[in-house]
Amino acid sequence: MSSVGARLSPKRGQYLRAYRFMLLARVAEEKLASLYRAGLIKGGVFLGRGQEALSVSVGLNLRKGDIFAPLIRDQAGRMAFGDSVLDTFRTYLGSQLGSMRGRDGNIHRGRPREGYYAMISHLGAMIPAVAGGLMARRFRGETGVVGATCLGDGGTSTGAFHEGLNVAAVEKLPLVVVVANNQYAYSTPNDRQFACKDLLDKAAGYGIAGHRADGTDLADCLRIVGAAIEAARSGGGPQFVVGDLLRLVGHGEHDDAGYVDPGLKSAHVGRDCLKVSEEFLIEKNWASAEQIAGWRTEAKREVDTTAARVQREASPDPAEEDWRAVSIPSGDLARV
Amino acid sequence: MSSVGARLSPKRGQYLRAYRFMLLARVAEEKLASLYRAGLIKGGVFLGRGQEALSVSVGLNLRKGDIFAPLIRDQAGRMAFGDSVLDTFRTYLGSQLGSMRGRDGNIHRGRPREGYYAMISHLGAMIPAVAGGLMARRFRGETGVVGATCLGDGGTSTGAFHEGLNVAAVEKLPLVVVVANNQYAYSTPNDRQFACKDLLDKAAGYGIAGHRADGTDLADCLRIVGAAIEAARSGGGPQFVVGDLLRLVGHGEHDDAGYVDPGLKSAHVGRDCLKVSEEFLIEKNWASAEQIAGWRTEAKREVDTTAARVQREASPDPAEEDWRAVSIPSGDLARV
Amino acid sequence: MITYLEAIRSALAKLLADDPRVFLYGQDIGSFGGAFKATKNLAREFPGRVLDSPLSEDAIIGVAIGAAIEGMRPIVEMQFADFSVCGFNQIVNHAATLYYRTEVPCPIVVRLPSGGTPGSGPFHSQSMEAIYAHYPGLVVMTPGTVEDVYSMLVEAVAIDDPVLFCEHKFLYNHLKAERLPDLVAPAFKARLARQGRDATIVTYGAMLHESLAAAQELVADGYEIEVVDLRTVKPLDTDTVLASVARTGRILCVSEAWPWGGVAAEVVARVTAEGFDLLDAPPQRLNARDTPVPYHPDLWAAHRPTASAIASAMQRLLEM
Amino acid sequence: MITYLEAIRSALAKLLADDPRVFLYGQDIGSFGGAFKATKNLAREFPGRVLDSPLSEDAIIGVAIGAAIEGMRPIVEMQFADFSVCGFNQIVNHAATLYYRTEVPCPIVVRLPSGGTPGSGPFHSQSMEAIYAHYPGLVVMTPGTVEDVYSMLVEAVAIDDPVLFCEHKFLYNHLKAERLPDLVAPAFKARLARQGRDATIVTYGAMLHESLAAAQELVADGYEIEVVDLRTVKPLDTDTVLASVARTGRILCVSEAWPWGGVAAEVVARVTAEGFDLLDAPPQRLNARDTPVPYHPDLWAAHRPTASAIASAMQRLLEM
Ligand SMILES: Cc1ncc(C[n+]2csc(CCOP(=O)(O)OP(=O)(O)O)c2C)c(N)n1
Ligand SMILES: Cc1ncc(C[n+]2csc(CCOP(=O)(O)OP(=O)(O)O)c2C)c(N)n1
Ligand SMILES: [Mg+2]
Ligand SMILES: [Mg+2]
């Protein structure tokens, strides 16, 4: 399928923008990994290495005013939707100045007011929430809005996925659910996760459209995800996209992923989408190896300065916390 | 499809046994309804009128040693699996002597030790439980065992349904899930419940076999459900059966079902499976109108005497209750 | 006369009429009007704003959360409180944490038809207020009067935080009032339901009426029992409780929920920590039995606190 | 030296070896050995009895319940306690009610990797013991020592009722013991972890160690603080707590769970109802703050009770 993607040549500008976000995400994640190894990030670091092409295609095809609920491995898509290197590092490092102010961290970040929902850990849970956001837009008469959310192969086994997708289908909402089938849920391979021949077989069960993308091929991802988002935007109801790829890193940085089948690594699905896109750029003469190297240096500079800057920022001060989980003015509650 | 069912003629003996259970269930439920109207049954009464053919086909095709987790509208299937008129009335009337001893009631009854699981209200919840029961049998090396459970169209929207069916598919368990699509979930019509063209479209999403039965035609139900159970028994993995029919009564006896589309009542799906089977018996000369009338009188006599007997039985005495939800000997817990 | 149930419907109608951000979502609440008819006619009166949902509690709550993020004021109905456990994750992990995590509030109201009625059994009788109150970020209201169920539901929608609205099924049609209130106490203040002198009963919901009946019974023995209606169990108005205990020196907490970690436990723990010196006798609790709610009406009546059970518990407390 | 985590693995190995009815089911517990390696090597040592599940908590618990009905002794692992809410309905409505409703017990063990660790945040840090303890029909164990986590897990499988086994992640690798116990106290008895005279701290889990450290701190001020380790919070061994309060007259309950209706509330409510006259000062509670568990290690450290926070709470209690 990637060949197809390659044949119908993608738009140069979009492809280049997408590549730059992929590169920035890759470089940022490499930095996060090193900070984790250095013990500077507590908890965990969860990377999207190898999944940038699919992820960026979601963020890039969405517009301002759309809703995006990214998941664990969407650094590239988040950035394409407007998230910054700065807030990424602030959130991972728990900075008071980050969008989560140290109260939540790593991938659990967002700015809901800007349509950028902050995931909770419980997989599948964001699907009905995005559906609800889209229902709100419809109540307000807004049209042409799309809501997209990402999930992994394991996430498709949750009740939340099923209920959320079904509700969206019944309401015919412009929801796009993109499943990154990276072959494993943590250590669990597809054959212990589901028994359908193909995850796309699930679409018919909800009465929604299904699309397959080659997750290792940026051109194909841009085209397929773009088409799905366009279909949702133009009233086609929920769209279900499955991208096949391989997680080229551990589940988290604590995990050496020793369980990954070597056969998959050497297979088409195991290709590094970043490398593939670089070869494509060069083959197309859209960029030279030197330019690409320059972009990487640029990205590295931005990431390193940002990381350094955030490490100098003050941690949240417990004494300054109001320790209140409700927004009700304290006055209204003698004691909670 | 019913015509097909009628063409391949069913086995006379099985058909007659099935009919007698349907009749007994129908008569028993009519009595339950009158006791409810008389204020003798508190809470609610939930009937399977119009669903007897599909339900009985499940109970009748199961064997001793199989597992059955019936649901709301399975009086006929319960009786075919071994439940009695006596325990039905004892449970509805909360008799101390019933299987639930007045602690639970109406359709929430069973004898788990005998493979007859007692449903909890939360729809979909019995599916993974039956799957677990089947895993236990497999651990013990028992083969040729089948587990069956019933559900409604609304129940397919629950996360429990999705997770349970998926787990059973991954484990390739001999589970048969029979969905009685009676067109409504309480008052909610199919088109507010799901958007797939056909509930059978869900089977492929789990990688399991799907079967359709005409829920108004006993012959078709016996054949299709029988084939599904046989397929599971012989190692075919989970089987998904959808029977189309109409609930010919309110959701509960409190409900006049005014919301039911008259068009459906007059359509094929709105046929009363009991009447249809009686016509079939007569057409086949397997029974005369007189015999059938006689069977009904017999059934009525059994039901009335049983109801009278149970009404004379003592209610549970609160003073006799130990009020303990755990089985740990009280001695072991100074105070719980 | 207006019933507790009609008061809920009136509040919903008023909310839909006054606030375009409000919509209702839940099973069978549209043209059917809901399992208890709390939304009767509302789908017709407010076209497109009273929506039937699939049989999917997790999605129902999730949808409400997303809509709230976008500025709506969703009111969702669980057909029975007992089924809210199927949407539990969305309530306690998504709605309850949103404001703390993102500064974006989550103004949803989850209506929970709660509590026992004869013959309802283990899965249609539960009182879940203690479960939800344990979680930070949630407001849990337990109105026990017609006036309160109306005014507190209106206030619940005004509040920016997720509100679990525990309306008691036993009161739906039994409880009647002359008319709807115009002036009402704020939802977070407990109310002195009966003045007394010898001891205080702290309670809420359907138990308010059992407690008032018990207090009345005890008049014959010459006792004047004060009754405090908590109205909202989280936040919990400890001050009003302490003020009553300061007058009476004795406290019995009555709740229909299960004992372990219930409302009564929380009230006793607060009163002893903050009002120890006010106490002339050990504070007592009376809850439902620690078993599932039984089906048979006789077992059910013995499972929950009743006026006479409350009266005898109070007798014992008064003799301490 | 054996760690708390290794003790869990040893108990699981012993159970698999001794009892053919035992099997393990959960996410990534097979060849991978589990997110925390509690089942490391067990899939190899016990082929076909340590099964990876799909990402489906509701189904995982449901499967365990069905297997238990058929006579097995399933032990399921939730990857984190926080995710057990996705199987909540099966736990509280199916497993917990089965014995009461049908007389058929439901001997499942649900392992809940519980409690906070630095940087784990709102969804990988929760302490859910109070939530499960509120429900009738469940046993809730909260082992705080290497010996207990081993012997109580073995006992949990022997018990015919559903057991929520709250193992504390903070102790997994920090806590070490010389060897596994042979003789152990029954799971339902609280333990006097430290003898004292001036006041009692009642606690469990990771807070046991913070409390012991606090008690040690207070020695400098000449105080002898008694520490009671509840070990199991439901059933709750009130007698042992009362016996200690009888000696000291003062009680502080310390829990990492949220305050409202938590273990501390239940303990205080019992002690005041049953041991009022033993008290020389108002019983106090110290819990985590009533907000989600924050991500940043500094916020986390201020959110949960620590040795120094416990020591100062005790100082205040001692001065009352
Ligand atoms: C409901 C729930 N259960 C368990 C977890 C723990 N968990 C976090 S990520 C993960 C694996 C997810 O696999 P997949 O959905 O394929 O996404 P991937 O990590 O492969 O991108 C698990 C089990 C969770 N987050 N939510
Ligand atoms: C999880 C859950 N939510 C809500 C209910 C309340 N309820 C009981 S039956 C019912 C309708 C069920 O419809 P369907 O599954 O089609 O079965 P039918 O009643 O039509 O046989 C509902 C909503 C429930 N039992 N479980
Ligand atoms: Mg995956
Ligand atoms: Mg139906």
Side-chain angles (χ1 to χ4, degrees):
Chain A
M1 215 176 297
S2 84
S3 54
V4 179
R7 251 185 282 97
L8 325 166
S9 182
K11 293 186 240 61
R12 181 173 189 274
Q14 187 196 40
Y15 193 99
L16 279 167
R17 284 216 321 292
Y19 170 76
R20 297 293 294 270
F21 281 122
M22 289 169 64
L23 179 64
L24 186 57
R26 177 72 59 99
V27 170
E29 290 197 339
E30 284 163 355
K31 184 68 179 182
L32 290 170
S34 70
L35 290 175
Y36 175 81
R37 284 190 298 273
L40 294 167
I41 293 175
K42 293 272 175 297
V45 164
F46 307 89
L47 307 183
R49 188 184 188 92
Q51 308 194 186
E52 293 94 341
L54 184 66
S55 180
V56 78
S57 301
V58 184
L60 205 66
N61 279 290
L62 293 172
R63 300 180 190 152
K64 192 155 175 26
D66 286 341
I67 296 170
F68 184 36
L71 217 70
I72 310 176
R73 316 212 182 268
D74 288 309
Q75 185 62 37
R78 289 169 184 263
M79 285 171 157
F81 191 67
D83 195 0
S84 64
V85 176
L86 182 59
D87 200 54
T88 301
F89 281 80
R90 281 178 163 168
T91 306
Y92 261 101
L93 288 159
S95 162
Q96 174 68 57
L97 304 173
S99 51
M100 311 306 278
R101 300 158 297 144
R103 295 180 173 193
D104 207 341
N106 52 58
I107 51 185
H108 303 91
R109 68 183 188 276
R111 300 185 182 276
R113 282 267 177 272
E114 296 162 28
Y116 176 29
Y117 289 8
M119 65 176 278
I120 68 168
S121 296
H122 301 68
L123 296 169
M126 301 312 293
I127 297 176
V130 175
L134 292 168
M135 273 172 72
R137 304 297 188 91
R138 182 161 70 189
F139 275 119
R140 286 209 303 271
E142 293 180 32
T143 56
V145 181
V146 167
T149 184
C150 301
L151 198 70
D153 41 290
T156 65
S157 299
T158 61
F161 164 84
H162 176 68
E163 294 193 5
L165 209 49
N166 183 62
V167 160
V170 167
E171 292 293 336
K172 228 178 175 316
L173 296 168
L175 173 72
V176 179
V177 174
V178 178
V179 173
N181 183 359
N182 62 7
Q183 314 306 315
Y184 291 87
Y186 207 152
S187 75
T188 307
N190 279 184
D191 64 2
R192 291 295 302 166
Q193 192 64 244
F194 51 80
C196 47
K197 281 178 213 58
D198 186 326
L199 279 176
L200 267 188
D201 295 344
K202 294 191 178 292
Y206 300 96
I208 62 179
H211 312 259
R212 153 159 294 97
D214 177 347
T216 68
D217 180 337
L218 175 58
D220 197 53
C221 290
L222 284 169
R223 188 172 58 84
I224 300 294
V225 174
I229 289 176
E230 193 39 52
R233 204 181 295 284
S234 52
Q239 307 289 315
F240 188 61
V241 180
V242 175
D244 307 296
L245 41 78
L246 191 64
R247 197 185 68 212
L248 301 180
V249 64
H251 171 67
E253 282 308 283
H254 59 278
D255 169 27
D256 66 8
Y259 45 79
V260 173
D261 173 355
L264 286 171
K265 292 184 189 163
S266 52
H268 181 93
V269 76
R271 303 190 308 169
D272 179 346
C273 60
L274 193 73
K275 283 210 184 55
V276 172
S277 56
E278 285 166 357
E279 287 155 14
F280 186 82
L281 285 172
I282 291 165
E283 167 197 321
K284 279 263 181 200
N285 280 318
W286 287 355
S288 67
E290 296 63 35
Q291 273 175 300
I292 292 172
W295 290 336
R296 180 176 269 276
T297 320
E298 232 176 276
K300 218 173 156 334
R301 196 176 311 109
E302 179 185 356
V303 164
D304 292 343
T305 22
T306 307
R309 166 180 169 187
V310 173
Q311 284 172 261
R312 285 191 306 272
E313 289 177 357
S315 309
D317 175 0
E320 301 276 295
E321 290 285 308
D322 62 359
W323 299 111
R324 293 176 46 71
V326 287
S327 67
I328 312 162
S330 323
D332 301 13
L333 350 149
R335 285 193 201 60
V336 178
Chain B
M1 217 177 297
S2 82
S3 54
V4 179
R7 249 187 283 96
L8 328 166
S9 182
K11 291 185 243 62
R12 180 173 189 275
Q14 187 196 40
Y15 193 98
L16 279 166
R17 283 214 324 292
Y19 170 75
R20 296 294 294 271
F21 282 121
M22 289 169 64
L23 179 64
L24 186 58
R26 177 71 59 98
V27 170
E29 289 197 339
E30 284 163 354
K31 183 70 179 183
L32 290 170
S34 70
L35 291 175
Y36 175 80
R37 284 191 298 272
L40 294 167
I41 294 176
K42 294 271 173 297
V45 164
F46 306 89
L47 307 182
R49 188 183 189 92
Q51 308 193 187
E52 293 93 341
L54 183 66
S55 181
V56 78
S57 300
V58 184
L60 205 66
N61 280 290
L62 293 172
R63 301 182 190 149
K64 194 160 174 24
D66 286 341
I67 296 170
F68 185 36
L71 218 70
I72 309 175
R73 317 212 181 265
D74 288 309
Q75 185 63 36
R78 289 169 184 263
M79 285 171 157
F81 191 67
D83 196 359
S84 65
V85 176
L86 182 59
D87 201 54
T88 301
F89 281 80
R90 281 178 163 168
T91 306
Y92 260 100
L93 288 160
S95 163
Q96 174 69 56
L97 304 173
S99 51
M100 311 306 278
R101 301 159 297 145
R103 295 180 172 193
D104 207 341
N106 52 58
I107 52 184
H108 303 91
R109 69 183 188 275
R111 300 185 182 275
R113 282 266 177 273
E114 297 161 27
Y116 176 27
Y117 289 8
M119 65 176 277
I120 67 169
S121 295
H122 301 67
L123 296 169
M126 301 313 292
I127 298 177
V130 175
L134 292 168
M135 274 172 72
R137 304 298 187 93
R138 182 161 70 190
F139 275 119
R140 285 209 304 272
E142 293 180 31
T143 56
V145 182
V146 168
T149 184
C150 302
L151 198 69
D153 41 290
T156 65
S157 298
T158 61
F161 164 84
H162 176 68
E163 294 193 6
L165 209 49
N166 183 62
V167 160
V170 167
E171 292 291 337
K172 225 176 179 320
L173 295 168
L175 173 72
V176 179
V177 174
V178 178
V179 173
N181 183 358
N182 60 9
Q183 315 304 316
Y184 292 88
Y186 206 152
S187 74
T188 307
N190 279 183
D191 64 2
R192 290 295 301 165
Q193 192 65 243
F194 50 80
C196 48
K197 282 178 211 60
D198 186 325
L199 279 176
L200 267 188
D201 295 344
K202 293 190 179 294
Y206 299 96
I208 62 178
H211 312 260
R212 153 158 294 97
D214 177 347
T216 68
D217 181 339
L218 175 59
D220 196 54
C221 290
L222 285 168
R223 188 171 58 83
I224 300 295
V225 174
I229 289 176
E230 193 39 51
R233 204 181 293 285
S234 51
Q239 308 288 315
F240 188 62
V241 180
V242 175
D244 306 296
L245 41 78
L246 191 64
R247 196 187 67 213
L248 300 181
V249 65
H251 170 68
E253 281 310 281
H254 60 279
D255 170 28
D256 67 8
Y259 46 79
V260 173
D261 173 356
L264 286 171
K265 293 184 189 163
S266 52
H268 180 92
V269 76
R271 303 191 307 168
D272 178 348
C273 59
L274 193 72
K275 284 213 183 55
V276 172
S277 55
E278 285 166 357
E279 287 155 16
F280 186 82
L281 284 172
I282 292 164
E283 166 198 322
K284 280 266 179 196
N285 278 317
W286 286 354
S288 67
E290 297 62 36
Q291 272 175 301
I292 291 172
W295 290 336
R296 180 177 270 274
T297 320
E298 231 175 276
K300 216 174 158 334
R301 196 177 309 108
E302 178 186 357
V303 165
D304 291 344
T305 32
T306 307
R309 167 180 168 187
V310 172
Q311 284 172 261
R312 285 191 306 272
E313 289 177 355
S315 309
D317 174 0
E320 301 276 296
E321 290 286 307
D322 63 358
W323 299 111
R324 293 175 45 71
V326 287
S327 67
I328 312 163
S330 323
D332 301 12
L333 347 152
R335 286 195 199 60
V336 178
Chain C
M1 298 293 281
I2 177 163
T3 65
Y4 184 93
L5 182 65
E6 287 158 358
I8 293 169
R9 183 163 57 239
S10 305
L12 294 172
K14 173 188 168 50
L15 288 159
L16 283 161
D18 295 355
D19 189 343
R21 302 170 305 170
V22 171
F23 73 97
L24 314 189
Y25 193 50
Q27 293 153 15
D28 306 294
I29 67 169
S31 50
F32 185 62
F36 297 99
K37 298 290 174 233
T39 59
K40 190 174 174 190
N41 298 333
L42 296 181
R44 179 152 38 76
E45 293 167 29
F46 303 94
R49 293 174 63 195
V50 183
L51 305 178
D52 284 325
S53 75
L55 212 158
S56 308
E57 283 76 10
D58 185 78
I60 291 169
I61 308 288
V63 159
I65 292 167
I69 288 172
E70 301 295 322
M72 301 294 285
R73 296 266 156 167
I75 303 172
V76 302
E77 173 177 308
M78 297 281 106
Q79 202 153 74
F80 286 79
D82 315 51
F83 300 122
S84 68
V85 290
C86 297
F88 198 66
N89 178 48
Q90 291 284 359
I91 296 172
V92 305
N93 284 315
H94 203 176
T97 66
L98 193 69
Y99 174 74
Y100 180 77
R101 295 168 60 235
T102 69
E103 288 184 295
V104 174
C106 187
I108 70 172
V109 174
V110 182
R111 291 182 42 237
L112 299 179
S114 303
T117 51
S120 293
F123 309 117
H124 294 74
S125 305
Q126 293 176 24
S127 299
M128 296 187 63
E129 53 274 6
I131 287 297
Y132 291 113
H134 183 64
Y135 280 93
L138 300 175
V139 169
V140 183
M141 298 186 178
T142 53
T145 69
V146 174
E147 294 78 1
D148 277 352
V149 83
Y150 176 84
S151 63
M152 290 171 75
L153 183 49
V154 172
E155 193 163 342
V157 173
I159 292 168
D160 280 343
D161 300 297
V163 177
L164 280 296
F165 195 78
C166 306
E167 35 187 72
H168 204 295
K169 300 193 299 292
F170 188 76
L171 305 179
Y172 272 165
N173 302 304
H174 290 181
L175 203 62
K176 296 186 176 62
E178 281 307 329
R179 47 183 202 73
L180 294 174
D182 16 49
L183 257 184
V184 294
F188 299 146
K189 285 255 149 290
R191 182 178 62 93
L192 197 57
R194 179 190 174 106
Q195 294 204 335
R197 180 194 56 207
D198 304 312
T200 300
I201 298 176
V202 174
T203 188
Y204 61 93
M207 288 298 118
L208 168 64
H209 307 282
E210 299 293 328
S211 300
L212 288 168
Q216 193 52 46
E217 264 186 49
L218 291 163
V219 170
D221 311 338
Y223 293 117
E224 290 178 26
I225 306 302
E226 192 147 299
V227 178
V228 173
D229 176 6
L230 288 174
R231 302 175 68 240
T232 294
V233 301
K234 189 169 186 181
L236 199 158
D237 176 8
T238 316
D239 294 343
T240 301
V241 174
L242 287 171
S244 174
V245 175
R247 282 188 293 273
T248 64
R250 283 178 158 73
I251 177 171
L252 169 67
C253 299
V254 179
S255 164
E256 189 177 334
W258 290 303
W260 204 108
V263 175
E266 181 62 24
V267 169
V268 169
R270 292 181 183 216
V271 168
T272 49
E274 302 175 31
F276 193 66
D277 301 339
L278 307 173
L279 292 164
D280 302 328
Q284 300 297 314
R285 292 188 284 171
L286 186 63
N287 292 286
R289 308 259 193 181
D290 195 35
T291 72
V293 185
Y295 166 77
H296 193 289
D298 296 351
L299 295 182
W300 172 73
H303 181 269
R304 73 198 269 263
T306 54
S308 61
I310 296 167
S312 22
M314 182 51 82
Q315 289 277 13
R316 286 193 298 278
L317 173 58
L318 289 162
E319 286 152 18
M320 281 179 183
Chain D
M1 299 292 281
I2 177 164
T3 65
Y4 184 93
L5 182 65
E6 287 157 358
I8 293 169
R9 182 162 58 240
S10 305
L12 293 172
K14 173 189 167 50
L15 288 159
L16 284 161
D18 295 355
D19 190 342
R21 302 170 305 170
V22 170
F23 73 97
L24 313 190
Y25 194 50
Q27 293 153 14
D28 306 293
I29 67 168
S31 49
F32 185 63
F36 297 98
K37 298 293 173 225
T39 58
K40 191 174 174 192
N41 298 333
L42 296 180
R44 179 152 37 75
E45 293 167 27
F46 302 94
R49 295 174 62 195
V50 183
L51 305 178
D52 284 325
S53 75
L55 213 158
S56 307
E57 283 76 11
D58 185 78
I60 291 168
I61 308 287
V63 160
I65 292 167
I69 288 172
E70 301 296 321
M72 301 294 285
R73 297 265 155 167
I75 304 172
V76 302
E77 173 177 308
M78 297 281 106
Q79 202 153 73
F80 286 78
D82 315 50
F83 300 123
S84 68
V85 290
C86 296
F88 198 66
N89 178 47
Q90 291 283 359
I91 296 172
V92 304
N93 284 315
H94 204 176
T97 65
L98 193 69
Y99 173 74
Y100 180 77
R101 295 167 60 234
T102 68
E103 289 184 295
V104 175
C106 187
I108 70 173
V109 175
V110 182
R111 290 183 42 236
L112 299 178
S114 303
T117 51
S120 294
F123 308 117
H124 293 74
S125 305
Q126 294 176 24
S127 299
M128 296 188 62
E129 53 275 6
I131 287 297
Y132 290 113
H134 183 65
Y135 280 92
L138 300 176
V139 168
V140 183
M141 298 185 178
T142 53
T145 69
V146 174
E147 293 79 1
D148 278 351
V149 84
Y150 176 84
S151 63
M152 290 171 75
L153 183 49
V154 171
E155 193 163 343
V157 173
I159 291 167
D160 280 342
D161 300 297
V163 177
L164 280 296
F165 195 78
C166 306
E167 37 187 71
H168 204 295
K169 300 192 300 290
F170 188 76
L171 305 179
Y172 272 165
N173 302 304
H174 290 182
L175 204 62
K176 295 186 176 61
E178 280 308 328
R179 46 183 201 74
L180 293 174
D182 16 49
L183 259 184
V184 294
F188 299 146
K189 285 256 150 287
R191 182 177 62 93
L192 198 58
R194 177 189 175 105
Q195 294 205 333
R197 182 194 57 208
D198 303 313
T200 300
I201 299 176
V202 174
T203 188
Y204 60 94
M207 288 298 117
L208 167 64
H209 307 282
E210 299 293 328
S211 300
L212 288 169
Q216 192 53 45
E217 266 186 47
L218 291 163
V219 170
D221 310 339
Y223 292 118
E224 291 178 26
I225 306 302
E226 192 146 300
V227 178
V228 173
D229 176 6
L230 290 174
R231 302 175 70 240
T232 295
V233 300
K234 189 168 187 183
L236 199 158
D237 176 7
T238 316
D239 295 343
T240 301
V241 173
L242 287 170
S244 174
V245 175
R247 283 188 292 274
T248 65
R250 282 178 159 73
I251 177 172
L252 170 66
C253 299
V254 179
S255 164
E256 189 176 332
W258 289 303
W260 203 110
V263 175
E266 181 62 24
V267 169
V268 168
R270 291 180 184 217
V271 168
T272 48
E274 302 174 32
F276 194 65
D277 301 339
L278 307 173
L279 293 164
D280 303 329
Q284 300 297 315
R285 293 186 284 171
L286 187 62
N287 293 284
R289 308 259 193 181
D290 195 35
T291 72
V293 184
Y295 166 78
H296 192 288
D298 296 350
L299 295 182
W300 173 73
H303 181 269
R304 73 198 269 262
T306 54
S308 61
I310 297 167
S312 17
M314 182 51 84
Q315 288 278 14
R316 286 193 298 277
L317 173 59
L318 288 162
E319 286 151 18
M320 282 178 182

